[in-house]
């Protein structure tokens, strides 16, 4: 749970209000309470809602760069690719 992200969302009026700000579904905003607010979304909030977010730890509320997710995605994609090995099976 990212308590700083929850504080930011609450300061903006809650899950439904933040979903309206970005024109996205509420479950997407709810996921931010766990993972943190995506960096691009946070950049917008820092500028557009500066007063409402005074006193919030915006750095802690921001989702970390998703290197782990990228690595996982790449690994998953690599596993899904057919082998490019030139070794033939069964011709010993």
């Amino acid at each position: 749970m990212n308590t700083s992200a929850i504080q930011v969302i609450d300061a903006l009026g809650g899950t439904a209000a933040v979903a309206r700000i970005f024109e996205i579904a509420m479950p997407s905003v709810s996921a931010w309470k766990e993972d943190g607010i995506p960096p691009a979304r946070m950049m917008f909030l820092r500028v557009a809602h500066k007063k409402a977010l005074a006193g919030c730890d915006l750095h802690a509320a921001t989702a970390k760069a998703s290197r782990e997710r990228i690595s996982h995605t790449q690994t998953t994609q690599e596993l899904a690719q057919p082998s490019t090995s030139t070794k033939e099976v069964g011709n010993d």
Side-chain angles (χ1 to χ4, degrees):
M1 202 49 81
N2 186 322
T3 56
S4 296
I6 293 169
Q7 182 184 15
V8 167
I9 292 166
D10 289 346
L12 294 169
T15 303
V18 175
R20 282 191 299 273
I21 289 169
F22 291 110
E23 298 180 356
I24 60 174
M26 289 187 351
S28 297
V29 176
S30 293
W32 298 352
K33 294 177 181 180
E34 194 69 34
D35 303 330
I37 300 169
R41 304 288 191 180
M42 185 58 81
M43 287 173 55
F44 172 79
L45 293 175
R46 285 178 196 264
V47 174
H49 299 279
K50 188 174 185 174
K51 287 183 183 179
L53 300 178
C56 293
D57 186 348
L58 303 182
H59 180 73
T62 305
K64 305 297 180 249
S66 56
R67 289 182 185 164
E68 291 177 16
R69 282 187 251 165
I70 290 170
S71 295
H72 174 71
T73 302
Q74 288 173 339
T75 302
T76 304
Q77 289 173 347
E78 289 168 3
L79 291 173
Q81 296 296 320
S83 174
T84 56
S85 173
T86 58
K87 181 180 177 184
E88 293 184 23
V89 177
N91 290 338
D92 293 325

